[in-house]
Amino acid sequence: MLKQLILRNKKLFGIIVCIILLSLIPVFVQSPYYLDIIILIFINAILAMTFIMVLQTGLINLGTAAFWGLGAYSSAVLVMKMGLSFWICLPLSIVITAIIALCLGYILIGSGSTGFTFVLLSSVIGMLFSVTVGNIEYLGGYMGIPNIPPPDPIRFPFLPAIEFVSKVEFFYLALFLFAVVILVANILYSSWIGKAWMAIGLNSRLAASLGIDIFRYKLLAFVISSAIAGLAGSFYAHYQSFVLPDTYGMWTNVNIQIYAILGGIGFPVLGPIIGAAIMTSASEMMRMTTLIAPMVMGVFLILLILFLPGGLLSLLDYWTYIKQWMRNTSKWIISVVLAGSKRGKDDTSG
Amino acid sequence: MLIGQLIFDGMAMGLVFVILATGLVLITSVNKILFFAYGAFYTIGAYGVWYAMRLFDLPYFISLLLGILCSAALGVLSYLLIFRRLQFMERGFLATLIASMGLFKFLSQGGLLVFGTVPRSIPSVFEGNLNFMGINITSDKVAIIVIGVVITVILFLVYEKTAIGRSMRAVTISPEAAALQGVDINSIYMMTLGMGTGLAGIAGGILAPTYGINPLMGANILWTVMLMAMLGGMDSLLGAVVGGIVIGQLLSFGQYYIGGAIQIIIFLIIGVVLYFKPAGLLGRGIDIGI
Amino acid sequence: MKRYLIKGLLVITLISTILLVACATTPSDTTTTSGTSSSGPKELKIGILAWMGWPNGLDMVRGTELMAEMDNKNGGLSIGSDRYNVTIIKYDSNNDQSTAASAVNKLVFEDKVKFIITDGFFTSAVLPTTDKNNVILAGWAPDYDVALSPNYKYHFDACGFDGIQVALTGWFCKKYPEKANNIVFAFPDNQQGHANAKGNEEQLAVLGAKPTSVFYPASSQDLSALGTKVKTLNPAAFSAAGGGPVSDGLAIKAVFDAGYRGTFFANATQPAITLSQIITNEALEGFICGAFPVEFDPAQTEIAKEFKAAWIAKYEKWEGPEIISTGQYAGLRNALQKAGTLDVDKVSDVIFSGMEYEGPTGRGKMISRPDLGNSRTVDSILNIYVKQIKSGNPTVLDSISIEDGVVSFNKVYGASK
């Protein structure tokens, strides 16, 4: 019975096992520094996933950071100006982001835009965000909003209250949101909606002839991905306890896109996670080189994309070759060793 | 009088923008790359002129030529080393995005370390100014306008009348069809990237005597230039000219009447234009394979 | 679709229970490493967080490293009965919030640094981390009303940025009252510009001047329209002091080119060498501006002379670096020596009780901020010079003593709001 259940839902159980394994991290990693990086990886992975979600339908969204910022700012304003709790702000900021994304997406996608126009229009949104927020006094202008309180403690009967005082609690909250996003993405991709998105991305004319309403599905992808970005933003605002308009500027969009593409576009869930993990930790490691760190990073990016243009996960495509190669080399090594030992024997005997 | 002054000042910066925008339009439309590293070439061109003038005591126009050569050569080099391999790939657009971002990081920090943190200036080439009906006309700005117009005209002649220009236009519309007609797309791609980065170098070089140069000048220029190219159409040289001049004027008048918030209004105008004309004012629309 | 939803909900509840249990059982990492046992016997680690992609940050790192090297060459800092070699650990903030935050985490938790200096870009973003873990953070903050508030126990600003502004404005208002009544200030439309504009307006209103603030698009090189605007307004004086030397220089140049010929003034300390790279000597003639003792030739104080000589020995030439933030290191070093211990609380006690110190940017004194309800001396006032540029070279016009600066400062920030 259980075996059948597991076999039928392999992917789902895989995810659950992974989450359980991830939840053990704080037992081994106590340093807040590393926990912080892991939380950052979760957020970057979520953002990269939203980028890929829109990319599935053939749209390159250079405005992801704006919606991330929208989530962060709406949460910050709701907490600071209206005094609401984080647990109310989180869903509210998702709703706000989704509504704004719906309005904007209706205009952007509705104008019959081809792929390239959407790149430009979404990058206009990306550029607009930080300048606009910076000029609105109510939102703190360019100085941002400081001192955003951490989420209120979770209280359960018979259990000690969980207070957000250290990185460990934030880690679990981030992991929870991360798991939710992965599940939502998986459910979407394996349902009719995801199939329709993929069809549009592969050949939009063919998809239209099959009766798929392209406009509606593209809009759906845009709204859902923006709402997820808003969720990440709301968490990020409370985690960093500080929002700054420049954080959600244009270069962040470019970084998100790098995370998404480097992981591998063919893998809508695993790709962004790998990409975000590698890039975030790589940029941390390159701290050692201080002054030339951006240069090293640039060379790293160029080399990666030159030799693995399909992303890091495209290595999996070479799996059969790698296996073949490993078998051949191992054979060769064995033969060399055998020959050597034979000769050695010969030598000793002779 | 006031309006004349604003138009004149907007015109001078607008023509620098025109050169920058035409370069970006060439790269975007022919090579189909969103070239993030563009701003770095602008800085390199400006510093190339400065080094030629300071270290070798060359006259301005020869230094300008050297600056252009410097940035164009770097552009060609980057094509040969990086983009040649990515250009013909499936889903090449996304790969080139990352490669150009890496190139930007490398060049901009390298530039800061090589050029130093101190801003530089080049002595004015044309001294003197003229007061014409209350408009303060400095000869430096007149020189920018004249050089800008000359370069734009030359560019148009090359693009419209020569065999190279014809090939470029053919590659813009369809690289495969152009290749079938015997166009060597590889060399066209290389030449376009060189030309585009060279134009960025020219813009940096002609701007240097009037506005001074600093290592951060190219950091955010890309987004402004991209706006102009969007306004005119990412695949239309004429559109880039129109976009550059219009944004130059908008920035000039906006600085006077509104202040820093003018950027928001420019963004909104471009959003509206792109909504009604998705390919820009004069563009036809580019297809990219994603 | 329904099946998926039910399945998804089930899995989410499962995961959330797992996570809640895990969260409740894992011990929190509230262990704050106290004491200084972690740092080696004779090594004093000082962390720097700066954006090394812009001139101020890069020059701050270079200046601070140079001062540490000078200290080490003299046999190290003598703190208490021991001598310490200073090791500078520097990380780039990359002008990015999360990078800055993780850099500070690394400094605090991995490198176990007890003293951090920053260039001010993300002071408010990293303050909660450093303060909670008893780490002293020295840095100017754009939103000083938050960063210098009593909420933070271990933060101070010894570079005296606000103090310089106030002292210079006060000096100008006293010396040229009629000009101060009709002055235009230009700021870039970005974080730094808005931060300076905010402080500036408050100060000028109290000190009796009537300013007009003008904003121009940041990262724009052509400011001719700004020049035209200033010319039409035709104020008695024009000041550009809020976007770093490059933006300010471009603004001054544009205003001069537009034909404005009034008094050029700046209530900041732009190096004349940097300005003369952008602006012609003709336009700079008579420009009045604050200056550090290092800038003049020869430097005005002994420490400044030594620093300048060492800088030239290391980097070959003096090109007007932006060393305002080296004041942080000077203040910190002085506090450590006076406290005679590396204990964070004792060091901060010294800093917060009106410490006086001296660095390449001049003599300084810590001062309190009653307007923010902070009676501890967290802000600072420097003995600042006033320079007038004559044929491209800075000449000493006046020197504002710390006492005069304090008078102006108390006028502006003295009363609690």
Side-chain angles (χ1 to χ4, degrees), chain A residues 9 12 31-34 36 135 142 147 165-166 168-169 172 176 190 236 242 244 247 284 287 290-291, chain C residues 4 7 19 26 28-29 58 90 92 97-99 102-103 105-106 109-110 122 125 132 152 189 191 194:
Chain A
N9 300 301
L12 218 55
S31 163
Y33 168 62
Y34 290 108
D36 177 67
N135 272 296
Y142 280 102
N147 288 337
V165 286
S166 77
V168 176
E169 287 84 9
Y172 282 110
F176 172 69
S190 52
Y236 187 72
F242 189 57
L244 202 68
T247 308
E284 278 304 318
R287 272 192 198 297
T290 51
L291 279 183
Chain C
Y4 286 124
K7 221 194 258 177
L19 290 183
T26 318
S28 300
D29 59 88
L58 198 56
K90 53 178 193 257
D92 197 343
Q97 192 184 338
S98 28
T99 316
S102 50
N105 278 323
K106 182 157 191 174
F109 299 114
E110 291 299 305
F122 295 100
K132 213 174 87 187
Y152 297 115
D189 189 26
Q191 191 193 7
H194 277 269

Side-chain angles (χ1 to χ4, degrees), chain C residues 139-172:
Chain C
W140 170 76
D143 44 353
Y144 53 83
D145 47 353
V146 178
L148 293 180
S149 70
N151 301 343
Y152 297 115
K153 290 181 307 206
Y154 299 109
H155 172 235
F156 71 97
D157 173 15
C159 81
F161 191 89
D162 299 324
I164 292 170
Q165 228 182 15
V166 173
L168 282 167
T169 316
W171 176 86
F172 191 75

Side-chain angles (χ1 to χ4, degrees), chain C residues 222-278:
Chain C
D222 170 49
L223 303 173
S224 316
L226 173 81
T228 315
K229 186 164 186 175
V230 172
K231 177 148 196 283
T232 8
L233 289 170
N234 203 14
F238 170 74
S239 171
V246 174
S247 299
D248 295 344
L250 286 173
I252 294 166
K253 182 183 164 75
V255 170
F256 183 82
D257 285 347
Y260 172 76
R261 292 291 181 274
T263 308
F264 286 90
F265 165 71
N267 52 4
T269 52
Q270 294 110 341
I273 299 179
T274 316
L275 287 178
S276 65
Q277 288 290 342
I278 306 172

Side-chain angles (χ1 to χ4, degrees), chain A residues 32 145-150 164-167 170 236-243, chain C residues 32 49 97 100-101 104-105 108-109 116 118 122-137 141 143 146-149 151-155:
Chain A
I145 305 175
N147 288 337
I148 301 167
F164 287 82
V165 286
S166 77
K167 297 259 190 284
F170 277 109
Y236 187 72
H238 288 265
Y239 172 60
Q240 293 270 339
S241 76
F242 189 57
V243 283
Chain C
T32 50
L49 170 73
Q97 192 184 338
V104 163
N105 278 323
V108 173
F109 299 114
I116 299 179
T118 166
F122 295 100
T123 307
S124 307
V126 301
L127 249 179
T129 313
T130 57
D131 216 69
K132 213 174 87 187
N133 294 290
N134 302 343
V135 172
I136 291 188
L137 180 77
D143 44 353
V146 178
L148 293 180
S149 70
N151 301 343
Y152 297 115
K153 290 181 307 206
Y154 299 109
H155 172 235

